[in-house]
Amino acid sequence: MKVVIVGGVAGGATAAARIRRLDETAEIVIFERSGYISYANCGLPYYIGGVITDPEELTLQTPERFFARFRIQAKVRHEVLEIHLAKKTVTVRDLERGRVFDESYDKLILSPGARPMRPDLPGIGGERIFTLRTVEDTFRIHRFLEEQRPRSAAIIGGGFIGLEMAGELREKGLEVTVIQRPAQVLNPLDADMAAFVHAGLRKHGVRLLPGRTVEGFSNTKAGVTVLLKDEPAQEADLVILAIGVAPDSGLAKAAGLELGAKDSIVVNQRMQTSHPDIYAVGDAVQIRHSVSGEPALVALAGPANKQGRIAADNICGLDSRYDGAQGSTVIKLFDMTAAATGLNEKAARAAGLVYDKIYLSPSHHAGYYPGAKVMTVKVLFEAPGGRLLGAQIVGADGVDKRIDVLAAAIHAGMTAPELAELDLAYAPPYSSAKDPVNMAGYLAENVLSGKLRQFFWHDVADLPRDGSVILLDVRTDGEYRRGHIEGFRHIPVDDLRERLDELERGKPIYVMCQSGLRSYIACRILAQKGFDCRNLVGGYRFWQTVISDRAAADAAFPCGMEKN
């Protein structure tokens, strides 16, 4: 059996190694367009920023090592130009020698990945405008930084690559501006959770310009002018384009293989395309979202590795199936970590799911142990059944641990209340006796059982201030003086039992505290005394972060100018 693989990196290289482990006699050939057969593409920004100092560390495998260990022919700087289905051959160009030749196959695996989106805008070809996908891209940016010593950078796009680059360049001392059309960074997060990321970026000196449309670039030897629609242009010494990726599916399209969303390659659970002898893996394929069941594009290394292994299994006669991905992601930005898994609210609504949500603000380890830091957790679950749908966390330490526990719980089909039953490791330096994940389970159980009725930060502005409802702040005197929401009267929770006669019976009561815990306690007191009570989940801290973020975004627009 002869297997030809188009593209290395995560999916293609994994498939090749797996085939060899299953079939010592198979002939395996990899054609990789770049100069590197397998590299740590997720680590590229950290080399540019200087966290990774040895460029050799980026190369996970070389053609020589691949052949020595697996007897696999890995040919870099070779571009596959065409697939001939009837002849079962591919046409290949040797990019160094210019030679074009045909290579036969019995089975073909496509692992072309995704290409950075590069819109047809005036001036986009300037030499100071970069994209980041390959090791070669990384070296070009690194060389520019070393030779030109730029003082400022404009990042176009607020996704993972864009923000990682923003963080690394800011750490190197550059003035960094992030410009993007959407109103928030990090699309896997909901807008309210992204507000915490925005605050962290601004804290570290990153300038955010959300809601802007880039119309082109004006290039000079000294820098780049970024032209914005209906707004003043922005000046920078270099530009990083990070506005997203698109499936690199040109080969598949030309061969007549079935395509799906955004021209991604349609595959079945065995990673077969519409042609039974051709498989596809990685960022170019359309898969099933394992939570919603909907078609999805998940451009992540973990799924690509799994898909490569499954394609190899099936080529070698095993019955291996891919059940989809839930898109678990995590990013480090300065001293902050943001992570998500499963569905956010937008995706849940698009899938037609009926859901509820909770917010909590626990410390990442025991509060009495030095260094405890608050994280913000959001969990979505089906209502009334409680099936976990998704989770998002923004904080400092301990975020990755909790998102992985929640990702495993979602994969296992657990309900949100069942999180309370998880037996998680505890020691004061690492957690609390009631871990944040357990706390999410308790909170969800309270909501689903009716013990807790909620209202949210986005409901606050519409609450009537005409006396028809009671708005109650149960924080301390000092907290109230430092800032409160207009219209909320103040009774500290510890005084509430003795001051119930100040509250008119028969009127709904909307209660808030700093994080939602004391207001929950207040609601339990009030409910048992016959009051109709609702709790502001996330509390004043959450409301203030979101409202402040929106105010900061609005303040960036000149007076009278409309947002795009």
Side-chain angles (χ1 to χ4, degrees), residues 131-148:
T131 57
L132 180 59
R133 181 197 181 196
T134 66
V135 174
E136 290 89 345
D137 295 336
T138 305
F139 290 160
R140 278 193 290 272
I141 297 171
H142 188 271
R143 186 166 55 249
F144 180 88
L145 293 172
E146 293 295 309
E147 294 175 355
Q148 301 297 323

PDB file of all heavy atoms in Angstrom, residues 131-148:
ATOM      1  N   THR A 131       1.705  38.389   7.758  1.00  0.00           N
ATOM      2  CA  THR A 131       0.804  37.391   8.330  1.00  0.00           C
ATOM      3  C   THR A 131       1.671  36.366   9.055  1.00  0.00           C
ATOM      4  O   THR A 131       2.887  36.294   8.847  1.00  0.00           O
ATOM      5  CB  THR A 131      -0.044  36.682   7.257  1.00  0.00           C
ATOM      6  OG1 THR A 131       0.835  36.078   6.289  1.00  0.00           O
ATOM      7  CG2 THR A 131      -0.973  37.661   6.569  1.00  0.00           C
ATOM      8  N   LEU A 132       1.046  35.557   9.903  1.00  0.00           N
ATOM      9  CA  LEU A 132       1.783  34.566  10.675  1.00  0.00           C
ATOM     10  C   LEU A 132       1.092  33.214  10.551  1.00  0.00           C
ATOM     11  O   LEU A 132       0.034  32.988  11.135  1.00  0.00           O
ATOM     12  CB  LEU A 132       1.869  34.988  12.148  1.00  0.00           C
ATOM     13  CG  LEU A 132       2.629  34.032  13.075  1.00  0.00           C
ATOM     14  CD1 LEU A 132       4.065  33.850  12.618  1.00  0.00           C
ATOM     15  CD2 LEU A 132       2.580  34.545  14.512  1.00  0.00           C
ATOM     16  N   ARG A 133       1.724  32.330   9.772  1.00  0.00           N
ATOM     17  CA  ARG A 133       1.216  30.960   9.653  1.00  0.00           C
ATOM     18  C   ARG A 133       2.337  29.942   9.741  1.00  0.00           C
ATOM     19  O   ARG A 133       2.213  28.934  10.415  1.00  0.00           O
ATOM     20  CB  ARG A 133       0.458  30.788   8.334  1.00  0.00           C
ATOM     21  CG  ARG A 133      -0.104  29.375   8.175  1.00  0.00           C
ATOM     22  CD  ARG A 133      -0.475  29.058   6.750  1.00  0.00           C
ATOM     23  NE  ARG A 133      -1.034  27.712   6.624  1.00  0.00           N
ATOM     24  CZ  ARG A 133      -1.157  27.069   5.477  1.00  0.00           C
ATOM     25  NH1 ARG A 133      -0.755  27.646   4.362  1.00  0.00           N
ATOM     26  NH2 ARG A 133      -1.673  25.861   5.440  1.00  0.00           N
ATOM     27  N   THR A 134       3.447  30.211   9.056  1.00  0.00           N
ATOM     28  CA  THR A 134       4.518  29.234   8.953  1.00  0.00           C
ATOM     29  C   THR A 134       5.744  29.679   9.733  1.00  0.00           C
ATOM     30  O   THR A 134       5.840  30.819  10.194  1.00  0.00           O
ATOM     31  CB  THR A 134       4.919  29.029   7.484  1.00  0.00           C
ATOM     32  OG1 THR A 134       5.493  30.258   6.988  1.00  0.00           O
ATOM     33  CG2 THR A 134       3.711  28.661   6.630  1.00  0.00           C
ATOM     34  N   VAL A 135       6.717  28.766   9.827  1.00  0.00           N
ATOM     35  CA  VAL A 135       7.993  29.119  10.447  1.00  0.00           C
ATOM     36  C   VAL A 135       8.672  30.222   9.655  1.00  0.00           C
ATOM     37  O   VAL A 135       9.282  31.140  10.214  1.00  0.00           O
ATOM     38  CB  VAL A 135       8.901  27.868  10.544  1.00  0.00           C
ATOM     39  CG1 VAL A 135      10.286  28.242  11.050  1.00  0.00           C
ATOM     40  CG2 VAL A 135       8.275  26.823  11.458  1.00  0.00           C
ATOM     41  N   GLU A 136       8.556  30.160   8.331  1.00  0.00           N
ATOM     42  CA  GLU A 136       9.157  31.202   7.499  1.00  0.00           C
ATOM     43  C   GLU A 136       8.562  32.573   7.813  1.00  0.00           C
ATOM     44  O   GLU A 136       9.287  33.575   7.880  1.00  0.00           O
ATOM     45  CB  GLU A 136       8.965  30.868   6.012  1.00  0.00           C
ATOM     46  CG  GLU A 136       9.790  29.690   5.529  1.00  0.00           C
ATOM     47  CD  GLU A 136       9.088  28.350   5.676  1.00  0.00           C
ATOM     48  OE1 GLU A 136       8.085  28.275   6.409  1.00  0.00           O
ATOM     49  OE2 GLU A 136       9.536  27.375   5.060  1.00  0.00           O
ATOM     50  N   ASP A 137       7.232  32.631   8.016  1.00  0.00           N
ATOM     51  CA  ASP A 137       6.597  33.891   8.418  1.00  0.00           C
ATOM     52  C   ASP A 137       7.201  34.390   9.731  1.00  0.00           C
ATOM     53  O   ASP A 137       7.473  35.586   9.900  1.00  0.00           O
ATOM     54  CB  ASP A 137       5.089  33.699   8.611  1.00  0.00           C
ATOM     55  CG  ASP A 137       4.364  33.355   7.332  1.00  0.00           C
ATOM     56  OD1 ASP A 137       4.873  33.694   6.250  1.00  0.00           O
ATOM     57  OD2 ASP A 137       3.288  32.733   7.425  1.00  0.00           O
ATOM     58  N   THR A 138       7.396  33.468  10.653  1.00  0.00           N
ATOM     59  CA  THR A 138       7.941  33.818  11.968  1.00  0.00           C
ATOM     60  C   THR A 138       9.325  34.416  11.841  1.00  0.00           C
ATOM     61  O   THR A 138       9.636  35.446  12.467  1.00  0.00           O
ATOM     62  CB  THR A 138       8.011  32.555  12.858  1.00  0.00           C
ATOM     63  OG1 THR A 138       6.727  31.961  12.904  1.00  0.00           O
ATOM     64  CG2 THR A 138       8.472  32.902  14.252  1.00  0.00           C
ATOM     65  N   PHE A 139      10.176  33.792  11.044  1.00  0.00           N
ATOM     66  CA  PHE A 139      11.532  34.294  10.886  1.00  0.00           C
ATOM     67  C   PHE A 139      11.540  35.670  10.217  1.00  0.00           C
ATOM     68  O   PHE A 139      12.371  36.531  10.552  1.00  0.00           O
ATOM     69  CB  PHE A 139      12.362  33.307  10.073  1.00  0.00           C
ATOM     70  CG  PHE A 139      12.657  32.022  10.808  1.00  0.00           C
ATOM     71  CD1 PHE A 139      13.014  30.876  10.123  1.00  0.00           C
ATOM     72  CD2 PHE A 139      12.561  31.953  12.196  1.00  0.00           C
ATOM     73  CE1 PHE A 139      13.282  29.694  10.800  1.00  0.00           C
ATOM     74  CE2 PHE A 139      12.815  30.772  12.891  1.00  0.00           C
ATOM     75  CZ  PHE A 139      13.182  29.652  12.178  1.00  0.00           C
ATOM     76  N   ARG A 140      10.608  35.890   9.268  1.00  0.00           N
ATOM     77  CA  ARG A 140      10.544  37.202   8.617  1.00  0.00           C
ATOM     78  C   ARG A 140      10.190  38.292   9.629  1.00  0.00           C
ATOM     79  O   ARG A 140      10.802  39.373   9.641  1.00  0.00           O
ATOM     80  CB  ARG A 140       9.516  37.172   7.475  1.00  0.00           C
ATOM     81  CG  ARG A 140      10.043  36.594   6.179  1.00  0.00           C
ATOM     82  CD  ARG A 140       9.100  36.875   5.021  1.00  0.00           C
ATOM     83  NE  ARG A 140       7.872  36.105   5.124  1.00  0.00           N
ATOM     84  CZ  ARG A 140       7.719  34.875   4.625  1.00  0.00           C
ATOM     85  NH1 ARG A 140       8.720  34.289   4.002  1.00  0.00           N
ATOM     86  NH2 ARG A 140       6.566  34.246   4.744  1.00  0.00           N
ATOM     87  N   ILE A 141       9.197  38.024  10.464  1.00  0.00           N
ATOM     88  CA  ILE A 141       8.805  39.021  11.471  1.00  0.00           C
ATOM     89  C   ILE A 141       9.932  39.222  12.481  1.00  0.00           C
ATOM     90  O   ILE A 141      10.265  40.356  12.848  1.00  0.00           O
ATOM     91  CB  ILE A 141       7.512  38.583  12.177  1.00  0.00           C
ATOM     92  CG1 ILE A 141       6.353  38.508  11.172  1.00  0.00           C
ATOM     93  CG2 ILE A 141       7.168  39.549  13.312  1.00  0.00           C
ATOM     94  CD1 ILE A 141       5.084  37.887  11.735  1.00  0.00           C
ATOM     95  N   HIS A 142      10.524  38.129  12.915  1.00  0.00           N
ATOM     96  CA  HIS A 142      11.616  38.222  13.900  1.00  0.00           C
ATOM     97  C   HIS A 142      12.781  39.021  13.336  1.00  0.00           C
ATOM     98  O   HIS A 142      13.369  39.881  14.029  1.00  0.00           O
ATOM     99  CB  HIS A 142      12.070  36.810  14.277  1.00  0.00           C
ATOM    100  CG  HIS A 142      13.050  36.773  15.408  1.00  0.00           C
ATOM    101  ND1 HIS A 142      14.405  36.845  15.220  1.00  0.00           N
ATOM    102  CD2 HIS A 142      12.850  36.673  16.754  1.00  0.00           C
ATOM    103  CE1 HIS A 142      15.015  36.788  16.390  1.00  0.00           C
ATOM    104  NE2 HIS A 142      14.090  36.678  17.338  1.00  0.00           N
ATOM    105  N   ARG A 143      13.135  38.764  12.081  1.00  0.00           N
ATOM    106  CA  ARG A 143      14.237  39.498  11.442  1.00  0.00           C
ATOM    107  C   ARG A 143      13.913  40.984  11.320  1.00  0.00           C
ATOM    108  O   ARG A 143      14.778  41.848  11.564  1.00  0.00           O
ATOM    109  CB  ARG A 143      14.530  38.881  10.072  1.00  0.00           C
ATOM    110  CG  ARG A 143      15.741  39.476   9.375  1.00  0.00           C
ATOM    111  CD  ARG A 143      16.168  38.605   8.202  1.00  0.00           C
ATOM    112  NE  ARG A 143      15.082  38.364   7.263  1.00  0.00           N
ATOM    113  CZ  ARG A 143      14.508  37.168   7.096  1.00  0.00           C
ATOM    114  NH1 ARG A 143      14.890  36.135   7.810  1.00  0.00           N
ATOM    115  NH2 ARG A 143      13.540  37.033   6.210  1.00  0.00           N
ATOM    116  N   PHE A 144      12.658  41.288  10.980  1.00  0.00           N
ATOM    117  CA  PHE A 144      12.258  42.695  10.874  1.00  0.00           C
ATOM    118  C   PHE A 144      12.392  43.397  12.226  1.00  0.00           C
ATOM    119  O   PHE A 144      12.888  44.523  12.308  1.00  0.00           O
ATOM    120  CB  PHE A 144      10.814  42.784  10.371  1.00  0.00           C
ATOM    121  CG  PHE A 144      10.304  44.180  10.218  1.00  0.00           C
ATOM    122  CD1 PHE A 144      10.489  44.873   9.033  1.00  0.00           C
ATOM    123  CD2 PHE A 144       9.643  44.827  11.264  1.00  0.00           C
ATOM    124  CE1 PHE A 144      10.020  46.175   8.889  1.00  0.00           C
ATOM    125  CE2 PHE A 144       9.182  46.111  11.130  1.00  0.00           C
ATOM    126  CZ  PHE A 144       9.368  46.787   9.931  1.00  0.00           C
ATOM    127  N   LEU A 145      11.960  42.734  13.281  1.00  0.00           N
ATOM    128  CA  LEU A 145      12.052  43.334  14.614  1.00  0.00           C
ATOM    129  C   LEU A 145      13.500  43.566  15.015  1.00  0.00           C
ATOM    130  O   LEU A 145      13.837  44.602  15.613  1.00  0.00           O
ATOM    131  CB  LEU A 145      11.365  42.436  15.647  1.00  0.00           C
ATOM    132  CG  LEU A 145       9.846  42.279  15.527  1.00  0.00           C
ATOM    133  CD1 LEU A 145       9.347  41.210  16.485  1.00  0.00           C
ATOM    134  CD2 LEU A 145       9.140  43.593  15.786  1.00  0.00           C
ATOM    135  N   GLU A 146      14.377  42.620  14.696  1.00  0.00           N
ATOM    136  CA  GLU A 146      15.781  42.744  15.064  1.00  0.00           C
ATOM    137  C   GLU A 146      16.484  43.827  14.253  1.00  0.00           C
ATOM    138  O   GLU A 146      17.323  44.571  14.780  1.00  0.00           O
ATOM    139  CB  GLU A 146      16.492  41.401  14.868  1.00  0.00           C
ATOM    140  CG  GLU A 146      16.040  40.314  15.818  1.00  0.00           C
ATOM    141  CD  GLU A 146      16.376  40.645  17.263  1.00  0.00           C
ATOM    142  OE1 GLU A 146      17.538  40.969  17.536  1.00  0.00           O
ATOM    143  OE2 GLU A 146      15.455  40.582  18.110  1.00  0.00           O
ATOM    144  N   GLU A 147      16.162  43.910  12.971  1.00  0.00           N
ATOM    145  CA  GLU A 147      16.883  44.837  12.092  1.00  0.00           C
ATOM    146  C   GLU A 147      16.305  46.248  12.104  1.00  0.00           C
ATOM    147  O   GLU A 147      17.053  47.240  12.099  1.00  0.00           O
ATOM    148  CB  GLU A 147      16.876  44.297  10.661  1.00  0.00           C
ATOM    149  CG  GLU A 147      17.661  42.996  10.498  1.00  0.00           C
ATOM    150  CD  GLU A 147      17.538  42.431   9.092  1.00  0.00           C
ATOM    151  OE1 GLU A 147      16.758  43.001   8.276  1.00  0.00           O
ATOM    152  OE2 GLU A 147      18.210  41.409   8.806  1.00  0.00           O
ATOM    153  N   GLN A 148      14.979  46.362  12.151  1.00  0.00           N
ATOM    154  CA  GLN A 148      14.339  47.669  12.019  1.00  0.00           C
ATOM    155  C   GLN A 148      14.027  48.330  13.356  1.00  0.00           C
ATOM    156  O   GLN A 148      13.800  49.545  13.402  1.00  0.00           O
ATOM    157  CB  GLN A 148      13.042  47.535  11.214  1.00  0.00           C
ATOM    158  CG  GLN A 148      13.239  46.981   9.816  1.00  0.00           C
ATOM    159  CD  GLN A 148      14.081  47.889   8.946  1.00  0.00           C
ATOM    160  OE1 GLN A 148      13.994  49.112   9.016  1.00  0.00           O
ATOM    161  NE2 GLN A 148      14.928  47.286   8.118  1.00  0.00           N
TER     162      GLN A 148
END
